[in-house]
Amino acid sequence: MGMLKSSLAFLVLAFAFFLCFIMSTGSYVYFQFVQQWPPTTCRLSSKPSNQHRPLQRFTIHGLWPSNYSNPRKPSNCNGSPHMRSKLKISWPDVESGNDTRFWEGEWNKHGTCSEERLNQMQYFERSHDIWMSYNITKILKNASIIPSATQKWTYSDIVSPIKTATGRTPLLRCKQDKKTQLLHLHEVVFCFEYNALKQIDCNRTAGCGNQQAISFQ
Ligand SMILES: *[C@@H]1O[C@H](CO)[C@@H](O)[C@H](O)[C@H]1NC(C)=O
Ligand SMILES: *[C@@H]1O[C@H](CO)[C@@H](O)[C@H](O)[C@H]1NC(C)=O
Ligand SMILES: *[C@@H]1O[C@H](CO)[C@@H](O)[C@H](O)[C@H]1NC(C)=O
Ligand SMILES: *[C@@H]1O[C@H](CO)[C@@H](O)[C@H](O)[C@H]1NC(C)=O
Ligand SMILES: *[C@@H]1O[C@H](CO)[C@@H](O)[C@H](O)[C@H]1NC(C)=O
């Protein structure tokens, strides 16, 4: 009985510390590291197609400080722009070809929200390192998931090999083609804890709809 009481007290204390921690860590709780499949971005882009770069490899969309109650926020905090040459490979602007502007936008909108943890240099370096650590294009290829105009996959077909390779559950994001109704695989999200060092499971919030056939092309 005493045991039970003290472990209960411990839990209450731990929870209180957890709350304090969350409240003291500013405006985000975890990171979403978002990688996009450029052909889908370009196919469903509203930007002029003469600048499109439908590269056949997953590239970085962004590293987003996130919050469970409001997964797309915070954003639009203030900060200064910065650029690095290796990002030309991992983080190109596949929609309008101006890489600098894309990085500037991602930094201003998302990076500045975690500036107390990662300064601008660290933010971009960390993003590039995460991109380098797991090659999604390769993981999918190894699981025979290769771009196809005809074949369809389920959500778990695509998630499983990534989960096996990384040991963590990713989140998939899709885009629907309004004309054909086809659901296209668009982005793969990895989640990281507050420091952007340890990968954690993403919990499925939006994603790609339930039980729908997903196209990867
Ligand atoms: C999550 O976001 C909401 C709305 O943006 C904000 O009010 C809240 O303080 C945030 N919570 C945490 C734990 O950061
Ligand atoms: C790209 O964007 C940057 C930053 O917004 C801007 O200064 C530059 O002029 C743009 N380059 C081109 C070629 O449009
Ligand atoms: C990722 O894998 C693809 C497919 O195997 C390969 O073409 C590409 O070079 C790899 N990228 C990196 C950065 O290793
Ligand atoms: C490649 O696929 C094999 C069998 O399908 C699997 O055992 C292995 O872990 C995969 N390797 C990578 C790097 O995903
Ligand atoms: C996602 O997981 C976190 C951590 O386990 C939890 O606090 C949060 O309530 C979950 N959010 C949703 C929408 O399930």
Side-chain angles (χ1 to χ4, degrees), residues 60 81-92 99-101 103-104 119-129:
I60 300 174
H82 181 69
M83 177 176 71
R84 293 189 57 82
S85 66
K86 58 188 177 183
L87 300 179
K88 290 226 161 256
I89 313 287
S90 59
W91 203 334
D99 297 341
T100 316
R101 193 170 54 202
W103 302 333
E104 212 176 273
N119 67 29
Q120 196 174 64
M121 182 81 110
Q122 294 167 329
Y123 179 80
F124 285 106
E125 259 171 11
R126 188 69 200 117
S127 299
H128 183 81
D129 288 351

Side-chain angles (χ1 to χ4, degrees), residues 35-181:
Q35 296 185 66
Q36 63 181 337
W37 179 244
T40 299
T41 308
C42 296
R43 182 188 305 272
L44 300 170
S45 168
S46 57
K47 297 186 179 158
S49 61
N50 59 341
Q51 303 288 349
H52 286 181
R53 288 194 278 168
L55 307 171
Q56 296 280 314
R57 55 187 165 85
F58 281 87
T59 57
I60 300 174
H61 178 173
L63 178 64
W64 302 345
S66 302
N67 173 330
Y68 287 116
S69 61
N70 192 350
R72 296 302 297 268
K73 290 279 164 62
S75 64
N76 293 316
C77 308
N78 291 320
S80 59
H82 181 69
M83 177 176 71
R84 293 189 57 82
S85 66
K86 58 188 177 183
L87 300 179
K88 290 226 161 256
I89 313 287
S90 59
W91 203 334
D93 176 12
V94 301
E95 268 189 289
S96 47
N98 190 331
D99 297 341
T100 316
R101 193 170 54 202
F102 187 33
W103 302 333
E104 212 176 273
E106 287 293 314
W107 169 256
N108 287 334
K109 187 172 180 187
H110 301 286
T112 50
C113 300
S114 50
E115 207 171 1
E116 83 261 17
R117 196 68 204 87
L118 300 173
N119 67 29
Q120 196 174 64
M121 182 81 110
Q122 294 167 329
Y123 179 80
F124 285 106
E125 259 171 11
R126 188 69 200 117
S127 299
H128 183 81
D129 288 351
I130 297 173
W131 182 79
M132 288 292 285
S133 67
Y134 295 110
N135 186 333
I136 297 178
T137 319
K138 191 170 171 178
I139 292 169
L140 293 183
K141 197 183 228 172
N142 182 51
S144 305
I145 299 174
I146 40 181
S148 159
T150 51
Q151 204 171 342
K152 305 285 179 292
W153 286 272
T154 64
Y155 191 93
S156 72
D157 285 342
I158 301 171
V159 158
S160 296
I162 302 173
K163 189 172 173 180
T164 302
T166 63
R168 294 293 175 189
T169 308
L171 176 72
L172 304 182
R173 292 154 58 97
C174 291
K175 268 198 168 168
Q176 188 164 37
D177 187 329
K178 294 291 184 296
K179 276 178 251 154
T180 62
Q181 302 299 312

